[in-house]
Short mmCIF file of all heavy atoms in Angstrom, two decimals:
data_model
loop_
_atom_site.label_atom_id
_atom_site.label_comp_id
_atom_site.label_asym_id
_atom_site.label_seq_id
_atom_site.Cartn_x
_atom_site.Cartn_y
_atom_site.Cartn_z
N HIS A 269 25.19 106.46 120.97
CA HIS A 269 25.83 106.71 119.61
C HIS A 269 27.17 107.62 119.89
O HIS A 269 27.20 108.75 119.29
CB HIS A 269 24.73 107.75 118.91
CG HIS A 269 23.39 107.20 118.88
ND1 HIS A 269 22.95 106.24 117.89
CD2 HIS A 269 22.25 107.42 119.57
CE1 HIS A 269 21.70 105.94 118.01
NE2 HIS A 269 21.21 106.66 119.10
N PRO A 270 28.11 106.97 120.55
CA PRO A 270 29.32 107.64 120.91
C PRO A 270 30.06 108.30 119.70
O PRO A 270 30.67 109.42 119.79
CB PRO A 270 30.14 106.71 121.51
CG PRO A 270 29.60 105.42 121.13
CD PRO A 270 28.13 105.55 120.92
N LYS A 271 29.97 107.68 118.53
CA LYS A 271 30.85 108.04 117.47
C LYS A 271 30.03 108.70 116.30
O LYS A 271 30.57 109.09 115.29
CB LYS A 271 31.65 106.94 116.81
CG LYS A 271 32.67 106.33 117.79
CD LYS A 271 33.46 105.28 117.20
CE LYS A 271 34.47 104.66 117.97
NZ LYS A 271 35.48 103.72 117.34
N LYS A 272 28.75 108.86 116.50
CA LYS A 272 27.86 109.33 115.50
C LYS A 272 26.89 110.52 116.03
O LYS A 272 26.17 111.20 115.11
CB LYS A 272 27.03 108.35 114.90
CG LYS A 272 27.86 107.17 114.28
CD LYS A 272 26.96 106.04 113.68
CE LYS A 272 27.81 104.90 113.16
NZ LYS A 272 26.99 103.83 112.58
N ILE A 273 26.81 110.64 117.21
CA ILE A 273 25.73 111.58 117.86
C ILE A 273 25.79 112.88 117.31
O ILE A 273 24.72 113.36 116.68
CB ILE A 273 25.82 111.59 119.39
CG1 ILE A 273 24.74 112.58 119.93
CG2 ILE A 273 27.16 111.98 119.86
CD1 ILE A 273 23.43 111.96 119.97
N LEU A 274 26.99 113.71 117.20
CA LEU A 274 26.91 114.98 116.71
C LEU A 274 26.60 115.08 115.19
O LEU A 274 25.89 115.90 114.74
CB LEU A 274 28.26 115.69 117.00
CG LEU A 274 28.49 115.85 118.59
CD1 LEU A 274 29.77 116.64 118.76
CD2 LEU A 274 27.22 116.59 119.20
N LYS A 275 27.34 114.22 114.42
CA LYS A 275 27.09 114.23 112.96
C LYS A 275 25.60 113.99 112.61
O LYS A 275 25.11 114.49 111.64
CB LYS A 275 28.05 113.16 112.31
CG LYS A 275 28.25 113.29 110.79
CD LYS A 275 29.36 112.47 110.36
CE LYS A 275 29.46 112.64 108.80
NZ LYS A 275 30.55 111.74 108.34
N LYS A 276 24.93 113.04 113.32
CA LYS A 276 23.66 112.73 113.08
C LYS A 276 22.64 113.72 113.59
O LYS A 276 21.54 113.93 112.95
CB LYS A 276 23.34 111.38 113.67
CG LYS A 276 23.87 110.17 112.85
CD LYS A 276 23.42 108.88 113.24
CE LYS A 276 23.57 107.72 112.34
NZ LYS A 276 23.05 106.41 112.77
N ILE A 277 22.87 114.34 114.69
CA ILE A 277 21.86 115.13 115.34
C ILE A 277 21.92 116.66 114.99
O ILE A 277 20.87 117.32 115.04
CB ILE A 277 21.95 114.93 116.85
CG1 ILE A 277 20.61 115.32 117.48
CG2 ILE A 277 23.04 115.90 117.54
CD1 ILE A 277 20.43 114.86 119.02
N ILE A 278 23.21 117.11 114.64
CA ILE A 278 23.34 118.58 114.36
C ILE A 278 22.40 119.04 113.19
O ILE A 278 21.82 120.09 113.28
CB ILE A 278 24.85 118.81 113.87
CG1 ILE A 278 25.62 118.91 115.27
CG2 ILE A 278 24.91 120.26 113.28
CD1 ILE A 278 27.06 119.09 115.14
N PRO A 279 22.28 118.11 112.18
CA PRO A 279 21.40 118.72 111.04
C PRO A 279 19.97 118.95 111.44
O PRO A 279 19.18 119.67 110.80
CB PRO A 279 21.41 117.59 109.92
CG PRO A 279 22.72 116.77 110.31
CD PRO A 279 22.94 116.90 111.78
N HIS A 280 19.54 118.44 112.64
CA HIS A 280 18.09 118.69 113.00
C HIS A 280 18.04 119.72 114.08
O HIS A 280 16.82 119.99 114.66
CB HIS A 280 17.66 117.32 113.49
CG HIS A 280 17.75 116.18 112.65
ND1 HIS A 280 17.18 116.16 111.39
CD2 HIS A 280 18.40 114.96 112.73
CE1 HIS A 280 17.26 115.14 110.74
NE2 HIS A 280 18.18 114.41 111.47
N PHE A 281 19.21 120.32 114.52
CA PHE A 281 19.16 121.44 115.40
C PHE A 281 18.37 122.65 114.87
O PHE A 281 18.55 122.96 113.74
CB PHE A 281 20.61 121.89 115.85
CG PHE A 281 21.23 121.01 116.95
CD1 PHE A 281 20.61 119.96 117.62
CD2 PHE A 281 22.55 121.30 117.36
CE1 PHE A 281 21.29 119.22 118.53
CE2 PHE A 281 23.10 120.64 118.27
CZ PHE A 281 22.53 119.56 118.89
N SER A 282 17.68 123.30 115.69
CA SER A 282 17.09 124.40 115.36
C SER A 282 18.17 125.59 115.23
O SER A 282 19.01 125.58 115.95
CB SER A 282 16.00 125.01 116.42
OG SER A 282 15.60 126.22 116.14
N SER A 283 18.03 126.41 114.10
CA SER A 283 18.95 127.47 113.98
C SER A 283 18.58 128.76 114.66
O SER A 283 19.37 129.63 114.76
CB SER A 283 19.14 127.77 112.37
OG SER A 283 17.81 128.19 111.93
N GLU A 284 17.46 128.70 115.26
CA GLU A 284 17.05 129.90 116.09
C GLU A 284 17.75 130.09 117.36
O GLU A 284 18.00 129.07 118.16
CB GLU A 284 15.54 129.82 116.43
CG GLU A 284 15.06 131.12 117.21
CD GLU A 284 13.63 130.86 117.69
OE1 GLU A 284 13.01 129.72 117.51
OE2 GLU A 284 13.12 131.73 118.35
N TYR A 285 18.45 131.27 117.52
CA TYR A 285 19.28 131.46 118.79
C TYR A 285 18.36 131.91 119.95
O TYR A 285 18.35 133.03 120.44
CB TYR A 285 20.39 132.49 118.47
CG TYR A 285 21.37 132.64 119.60
CD1 TYR A 285 22.37 131.61 119.62
CD2 TYR A 285 21.32 133.55 120.59
CE1 TYR A 285 23.28 131.66 120.52
CE2 TYR A 285 22.35 133.61 121.51
CZ TYR A 285 23.25 132.73 121.51
OH TYR A 285 24.17 132.70 122.53
N ALA A 286 17.55 131.07 120.44
CA ALA A 286 16.70 131.16 121.68
C ALA A 286 17.46 130.58 122.73
O ALA A 286 18.22 129.65 122.69
CB ALA A 286 15.34 130.61 121.46
N LEU A 287 17.22 131.28 123.97
CA LEU A 287 18.03 130.75 125.10
C LEU A 287 17.73 129.15 125.42
O LEU A 287 18.68 128.47 125.73
CB LEU A 287 17.57 131.47 126.41
CG LEU A 287 18.19 131.05 127.83
CD1 LEU A 287 19.71 131.25 127.67
CD2 LEU A 287 17.59 131.99 128.98
N ALA A 288 16.38 128.75 125.38
CA ALA A 288 16.19 127.32 125.50
C ALA A 288 16.94 126.43 124.60
O ALA A 288 17.60 125.47 124.93
CB ALA A 288 14.74 127.12 125.42
N ASN A 289 16.90 126.78 123.25
CA ASN A 289 17.66 126.11 122.30
C ASN A 289 19.08 126.06 122.53
O ASN A 289 19.80 124.97 122.45
CB ASN A 289 17.43 126.58 120.88
CG ASN A 289 15.92 126.45 120.37
OD1 ASN A 289 15.16 125.64 120.92
ND2 ASN A 289 15.61 127.20 119.28
N HIS A 290 19.67 127.24 122.79
CA HIS A 290 21.06 127.41 122.94
C HIS A 290 21.51 126.53 124.20
O HIS A 290 22.53 125.85 124.08
CB HIS A 290 21.46 128.85 123.08
CG HIS A 290 22.88 129.10 123.58
ND1 HIS A 290 23.94 128.81 122.61
CD2 HIS A 290 23.55 129.67 124.63
CE1 HIS A 290 25.09 129.22 123.08
NE2 HIS A 290 24.84 129.73 124.36
N SER A 291 20.87 126.60 125.31
CA SER A 291 21.15 125.88 126.50
C SER A 291 21.13 124.28 126.20
O SER A 291 22.08 123.65 126.56
CB SER A 291 20.18 126.21 127.58
OG SER A 291 20.35 127.63 127.94
N LEU A 292 20.22 123.97 125.40
CA LEU A 292 20.05 122.45 125.18
C LEU A 292 21.15 122.04 124.28
O LEU A 292 21.94 120.98 124.48
CB LEU A 292 18.70 122.06 124.36
CG LEU A 292 18.44 120.69 124.05
CD1 LEU A 292 18.50 119.79 125.22
CD2 LEU A 292 17.15 120.54 123.29
N HIS A 293 21.38 122.77 123.25
CA HIS A 293 22.59 122.59 122.28
C HIS A 293 23.79 122.39 123.01
O HIS A 293 24.62 121.49 122.73
CB HIS A 293 22.58 123.51 121.04
CG HIS A 293 21.31 123.49 120.30
ND1 HIS A 293 21.17 124.52 119.34
CD2 HIS A 293 20.30 122.68 120.18
CE1 HIS A 293 19.96 124.27 118.73
NE2 HIS A 293 19.34 123.27 119.25
N VAL A 294 24.16 123.59 123.87
CA VAL A 294 25.29 123.55 124.47
C VAL A 294 25.60 122.29 125.43
O VAL A 294 26.63 121.85 125.61
CB VAL A 294 25.60 124.82 125.15
CG1 VAL A 294 26.97 124.79 126.03
CG2 VAL A 294 25.74 125.96 124.21
N ALA A 295 24.64 121.89 126.08
CA ALA A 295 24.46 120.71 126.87
C ALA A 295 24.85 119.43 126.10
O ALA A 295 25.70 118.65 126.53
CB ALA A 295 23.23 120.53 127.54
N ILE A 296 24.35 119.26 124.92
CA ILE A 296 24.52 118.11 124.12
C ILE A 296 25.94 118.09 123.58
O ILE A 296 26.79 117.11 123.71
CB ILE A 296 23.57 118.02 122.89
CG1 ILE A 296 22.13 117.85 123.36
CG2 ILE A 296 24.00 117.10 121.79
CD1 ILE A 296 21.07 117.94 122.22
N TYR A 297 26.48 119.33 123.09
CA TYR A 297 27.95 119.46 122.72
C TYR A 297 28.84 119.18 123.81
O TYR A 297 29.83 118.46 123.71
CB TYR A 297 28.20 120.91 122.13
CG TYR A 297 27.61 121.25 120.75
CD1 TYR A 297 26.81 122.32 120.55
CD2 TYR A 297 27.72 120.34 119.78
CE1 TYR A 297 26.30 122.63 119.31
CE2 TYR A 297 27.23 120.67 118.55
CZ TYR A 297 26.54 121.78 118.28
OH TYR A 297 26.00 122.17 117.05
N SER A 298 28.59 119.73 125.03
CA SER A 298 29.42 119.59 126.21
C SER A 298 29.52 118.15 126.68
O SER A 298 30.61 117.73 127.01
CB SER A 298 28.87 120.51 127.30
OG SER A 298 28.99 121.90 126.95
N VAL A 299 28.38 117.51 126.77
CA VAL A 299 28.50 116.06 127.17
C VAL A 299 29.26 115.24 126.12
O VAL A 299 30.05 114.43 126.58
CB VAL A 299 26.97 115.56 127.32
CG1 VAL A 299 26.96 114.03 127.34
CG2 VAL A 299 26.31 116.18 128.46
N SER A 300 29.10 115.57 124.85
CA SER A 300 29.78 114.80 123.71
C SER A 300 31.25 114.99 124.01
O SER A 300 32.08 114.08 123.99
CB SER A 300 29.23 115.18 122.52
OG SER A 300 27.93 114.95 122.18
N LEU A 301 31.57 116.33 124.16
CA LEU A 301 33.10 116.61 124.25
C LEU A 301 33.65 115.98 125.50
O LEU A 301 34.74 115.45 125.50
CB LEU A 301 33.26 118.07 124.29
CG LEU A 301 34.76 118.57 124.47
CD1 LEU A 301 35.64 117.94 123.37
CD2 LEU A 301 34.78 120.20 124.25
N ALA A 302 32.97 116.15 126.67
CA ALA A 302 33.39 115.50 127.96
C ALA A 302 33.51 114.02 127.85
O ALA A 302 34.47 113.43 128.33
CB ALA A 302 32.35 115.83 129.00
N TYR A 303 32.67 113.37 126.98
CA TYR A 303 32.66 111.86 126.86
C TYR A 303 34.00 111.53 126.05
O TYR A 303 34.72 110.70 126.39
CB TYR A 303 31.37 111.44 126.15
CG TYR A 303 31.40 109.96 125.90
CD1 TYR A 303 30.83 109.21 126.97
CD2 TYR A 303 31.83 109.28 124.80
CE1 TYR A 303 30.82 107.66 126.80
CE2 TYR A 303 31.61 107.94 124.62
CZ TYR A 303 31.19 107.26 125.64
OH TYR A 303 31.20 105.81 125.40
N PHE A 304 34.25 112.35 124.95
CA PHE A 304 35.54 112.13 124.10
C PHE A 304 36.72 112.40 124.95
O PHE A 304 37.69 111.92 124.62
CB PHE A 304 35.33 112.94 122.84
CG PHE A 304 34.75 112.21 121.77
CD1 PHE A 304 33.34 112.17 121.60
CD2 PHE A 304 35.50 111.56 120.72
CE1 PHE A 304 32.73 111.56 120.59
CE2 PHE A 304 34.79 110.95 119.61
CZ PHE A 304 33.48 110.94 119.66
N LEU A 305 36.63 113.37 125.88
CA LEU A 305 37.73 113.55 126.71
C LEU A 305 37.98 112.56 127.87
O LEU A 305 38.94 112.67 128.61
CB LEU A 305 37.65 114.93 127.29
CG LEU A 305 37.94 116.15 126.36
CD1 LEU A 305 37.49 117.44 126.93
CD2 LEU A 305 39.34 116.30 125.87
N LYS A 306 37.07 111.61 127.80
CA LYS A 306 37.12 110.55 128.89
C LYS A 306 36.96 111.07 130.37
O LYS A 306 37.62 110.55 131.22
CB LYS A 306 38.34 109.71 128.74
CG LYS A 306 38.42 108.95 127.41
CD LYS A 306 39.67 108.06 127.34
CE LYS A 306 39.61 107.10 126.15
NZ LYS A 306 39.41 107.85 124.85
N LEU A 307 36.11 112.06 130.47
CA LEU A 307 35.90 112.56 131.84
C LEU A 307 35.04 111.55 132.62
O LEU A 307 34.44 110.75 132.01
CB LEU A 307 35.18 113.87 131.79
CG LEU A 307 36.06 115.21 131.91
CD1 LEU A 307 36.90 115.14 130.69
CD2 LEU A 307 35.14 116.52 131.94
N ARG A 308 35.13 111.60 133.96
CA ARG A 308 34.45 110.65 134.76
C ARG A 308 32.86 111.00 134.69
O ARG A 308 32.45 112.14 134.30
CB ARG A 308 34.73 110.77 136.22
CG ARG A 308 36.25 110.47 136.46
CD ARG A 308 36.53 110.50 137.99
NE ARG A 308 36.02 111.52 138.76
CZ ARG A 308 36.58 112.70 138.91
NH1 ARG A 308 37.82 112.86 138.31
NH2 ARG A 308 36.15 113.74 139.57
N GLU A 309 32.09 109.96 134.95
CA GLU A 309 30.60 110.10 134.91
C GLU A 309 30.18 111.26 135.72
O GLU A 309 29.25 112.02 135.33
CB GLU A 309 29.99 108.80 135.41
CG GLU A 309 28.46 108.81 135.32
CD GLU A 309 27.86 108.41 134.03
OE1 GLU A 309 28.63 107.77 133.23
OE2 GLU A 309 26.70 108.69 133.78
N GLU A 310 30.72 111.47 136.87
CA GLU A 310 30.23 112.61 137.74
C GLU A 310 30.57 113.94 137.06
O GLU A 310 29.81 114.83 137.14
CB GLU A 310 31.07 112.39 139.12
CG GLU A 310 30.80 113.75 140.02
CD GLU A 310 31.72 113.75 141.22
OE1 GLU A 310 32.56 112.81 141.21
OE2 GLU A 310 31.43 114.44 142.15
N GLN A 311 31.71 114.09 136.42
CA GLN A 311 32.04 115.24 135.72
C GLN A 311 31.20 115.53 134.57
O GLN A 311 30.89 116.83 134.31
CB GLN A 311 33.51 115.23 135.28
CG GLN A 311 34.48 115.25 136.48
CD GLN A 311 35.97 114.99 135.96
OE1 GLN A 311 36.26 114.06 135.30
NE2 GLN A 311 36.83 116.03 136.21
N ILE A 312 30.77 114.44 133.75
CA ILE A 312 29.83 114.58 132.66
C ILE A 312 28.53 115.27 133.16
O ILE A 312 27.94 116.08 132.44
CB ILE A 312 29.74 113.32 131.93
CG1 ILE A 312 31.08 112.88 131.29
CG2 ILE A 312 28.69 113.36 130.87
CD1 ILE A 312 31.07 111.48 130.67
N VAL A 313 28.05 114.72 134.12
CA VAL A 313 26.81 115.16 134.70
C VAL A 313 26.96 116.66 135.09
O VAL A 313 26.14 117.54 134.86
CB VAL A 313 26.38 114.33 136.00
CG1 VAL A 313 25.15 115.00 136.61
CG2 VAL A 313 25.97 113.02 135.55
N GLN A 314 28.14 116.95 135.74
CA GLN A 314 28.34 118.35 136.27
C GLN A 314 28.42 119.34 134.94
O GLN A 314 27.90 120.46 135.01
CB GLN A 314 29.67 118.47 136.98
CG GLN A 314 29.62 117.79 138.37
CD GLN A 314 30.86 117.63 139.06
OE1 GLN A 314 31.99 117.83 138.36
NE2 GLN A 314 30.90 117.43 140.42
N VAL A 315 29.09 118.94 134.00
CA VAL A 315 29.35 119.79 132.76
C VAL A 315 27.87 120.09 132.12
O VAL A 315 27.56 121.11 131.57
CB VAL A 315 30.30 119.25 131.75
CG1 VAL A 315 29.82 118.13 130.95
CG2 VAL A 315 30.89 120.43 130.92
N ALA A 316 26.99 118.97 132.15
CA ALA A 316 25.71 119.13 131.56
C ALA A 316 24.91 120.08 132.32
O ALA A 316 24.23 120.89 131.67
CB ALA A 316 25.04 117.70 131.67
#
């Protein structure tokens, strides 16, 4: 879902600032941003 992932998934994110939630959300955001920046596959795994 390269062009829709964040718009579709953010409404279902938990709003609770727990470490587990925060880490998962930041990983999803980071992979999406890395993908839009056209980073290499290896770098996308590293940023995740």
